[in-house]
Amino acid sequence: MRTRLSAIGVVLASLLCTTIGYSQDSATSQALFEKGVAEMQAGRYAVACPLLQESYRLEAIPGTLFAAAECNAKDGKIATAVARYQDYLGLVSRMTPDQKARHRDREKTAKAQVADLQPQVPQLTLVLPEGAPAGIKVRRNGTELGQATLG
């Protein structure tokens, strides 16, 4: 009996620690979000965007991701903005109808922004010269690219 009570106590303590850690992350995320929005409204995008991204990392709320996309767009980081809008739209596509209804206006804005910004995203085409050795490895930013990405 005593062993069972000890085991229950350990489980409860671990759940309490997890809950405390989560609520601290949530509070930190909220504070970062609010600061990020204030910085964005002041036009300080270089400060605002990392705050919003960190807020989203700590607590993955779709509205925060949308705000980060908006910030990146205003900061001229077009490729990053498009990627964030697309990630946001992916999240919205998996929502329940009630959740989607709450995101309707943002979803519409995100789609319009992707359509508007996508043509401005620089494209990189990698073409190996004829006679390139078989098995050659191509890296971009330290990441090895597969054959399907070339050309």
Side-chain angles (χ1 to χ4, degrees):
M1 179 73 166
R2 191 171 191 184
T3 305
R4 185 178 296 176
L5 288 176
S6 294
I8 291 171
V10 168
V11 169
L12 290 175
S14 69
L15 286 173
L16 178 61
C17 289
T18 301
T19 302
I20 290 170
Y22 177 76
S23 67
Q24 286 174 342
D25 283 352
S26 182
T28 302
S29 175
Q30 182 65 33
L32 288 168
F33 177 80
E34 290 170 6
K35 176 104 171 110
V37 169
E39 294 291 342
M40 193 166 78
Q41 289 172 341
R44 293 186 291 266
Y45 307 116
V47 175
C49 297
L51 292 169
L52 293 168
Q53 189 57 39
E54 181 63 7
S55 172
Y56 182 74
R57 188 187 70 77
L58 290 174
E59 190 172 22
I61 296 174
T64 303
L65 183 58
F66 176 84
E70 289 280 281
C71 188
N72 290 131
K74 289 177 181 177
D75 194 27
K77 305 242 181 334
I78 304 301
T80 303
V82 169
R84 301 248 190 283
Y85 283 125
Q86 289 172 331
D87 289 345
Y88 169 77
L89 290 169
L91 292 174
V92 170
S93 73
R94 294 186 298 275
M95 290 179 178
T96 66
D98 287 344
Q99 290 171 322
K100 278 186 179 186
R102 291 192 298 270
H103 287 264
R104 188 169 290 124
D105 291 341
R106 281 184 262 185
E107 180 183 21
K108 184 178 176 182
T109 299
K111 286 178 180 178
Q113 286 286 70
V114 168
D116 186 47
L117 297 174
Q118 186 71 49
Q120 299 174 47
V121 175
Q123 300 295 315
L124 173 66
T125 302
L126 300 173
V127 180
L128 294 178
E130 270 190 54
I136 191 167
K137 297 191 187 296
V138 178
R139 295 183 190 280
R140 183 185 68 209
N141 296 332
T143 302
E144 187 173 321
L145 303 177
Q147 291 297 316
T149 61
L150 302 177

